[in-house]
Amino acid sequence: MQPENEYSYLFKVVVVGDGGVGKTSITMRFSQGIFRESYKMTIGVDFAVKTIEVDTPFGRRLVKYQVWDQSGQERFAHIRPLYYRGAIGSLCVYDVTNYESFEHLPSWIEEVEQYCGDIPMILVGNKRDLPRSVPLEDALEFAIKRNLLYFETSAKTGENVNEVFADLARLIILSRSQV
Ligand code: G3D
Ligand code: MG
């Protein structure tokens, strides 16, 4: 049974960040609720699909997500436009155990802006279950400077993964309701 005011959205979102930060793991954890130690086969230009319910200021909404998980292949220039085309939200992921992946965030943000313009984005520090090498203060300072929501996740334990996608959906819905 569904509430009367329920309405479905279809949201294409992209997950970007350095290789190894956990983009595929987050996508799989969200869409299938599983974590595997090895995802050697990254899914090319495929995407994962998942429908969730989100509470918004306008009531509960059904959101069908198409999550495009960037693989090495998509780094090739000719595939990039296809990857980004039509995306209306993004997760910019780094690995809290890998400072370099944190330092590369600005170039990922720039790439998203270049292809998608100013779309809602959430900053994600993944591998929260491991000892960190990026201080929380550095991450928060960066997030505040860029005016981005910040979450720390573990694709391994599942911590905060669903929350990130629920908040991203809310951001997208809110940004589209402001004319
Ligand atoms: P990518 O898609 O961004 O390239 P992957 O990253 O999802 O392929 O993950 C890279 C490696 O990090 C994988 O290990 C994966 O199991 C591991 N990983 C991803 N997320 C987490 C996490 O939250 N916690 C921990 N502990 N490990 C994580 P392998 O060994 O397959 O390279
Ligand atoms: Mg991958």
Side-chain angles (χ1 to χ4, degrees):
M1 248 191 4
Q2 296 182 349
E4 252 179 4
N5 65 347
E6 201 145 47
Y7 184 80
S8 296
Y9 297 99
L10 177 64
F11 289 166
K12 171 178 172 176
V13 297
V14 288
V15 183
V16 302
D18 281 7
V21 298
K23 299 179 298 295
T24 301
S25 301
I26 289 172
T27 303
M28 297 305 244
R29 165 62 79 180
F30 171 63
S31 60
Q32 300 177 19
I34 54 165
F35 178 79
R36 292 208 195 100
E37 290 299 330
S38 198
Y39 288 114
K40 292 307 173 209
M41 27 61 78
T42 300
I43 50 180
V45 292
D46 259 339
F47 52 83
V49 177
K50 167 98 174 177
T51 299
I52 59 169
E53 280 190 340
V54 213
D55 286 315
T56 78
F58 321 110
R60 180 159 291 191
R61 294 291 187 265
L62 265 189
V63 170
K64 290 180 194 174
Y65 262 122
Q66 253 186 26
V67 183
W68 289 56
D69 158 38
Q70 189 165 38
S71 73
Q73 258 175 306
E74 285 146 19
R75 301 300 305 145
F76 290 119
H78 66 288
I79 296 182
R80 234 175 281 165
L82 169 72
Y83 176 74
Y84 284 108
R85 185 175 304 140
I88 58 169
S90 68
L91 297 181
C92 197
V93 185
Y94 77 98
D95 170 353
V96 298
T97 73
N98 175 348
Y99 205 90
E100 223 184 316
S101 71
F102 176 68
E103 291 177 320
H104 292 160
L105 288 174
S107 66
W108 286 112
I109 293 172
E110 245 172 60
E111 185 168 305
V112 171
E113 283 171 352
Q114 182 193 338
Y115 285 97
C116 304
D118 184 20
I119 58 172
M121 172 185 286
I122 291 182
L123 191 64
V124 177
N126 187 44
K127 306 197 190 178
R128 183 71 182 88
D129 57 289
L130 296 175
R132 66 189 310 139
S133 59
V134 179
L136 181 59
E137 302 74 53
D138 291 19
L140 288 176
E141 190 187 327
F142 182 79
I144 289 167
K145 218 186 289 170
R146 297 284 182 143
N147 200 21
L148 294 172
L149 277 186
Y150 179 59
F151 278 88
E152 295 200 338
T153 58
S154 168
K156 185 167 187 172
T157 68
E159 183 184 357
N160 267 345
V161 171
N162 290 339
E163 286 79 358
V164 167
F165 284 95
D167 262 23
L168 182 60
R170 274 188 282 270
L171 275 185
I172 295 169
I173 291 167
L174 285 172
S175 73
R176 301 196 145 229
S177 70
Q178 291 159 1
V179 187

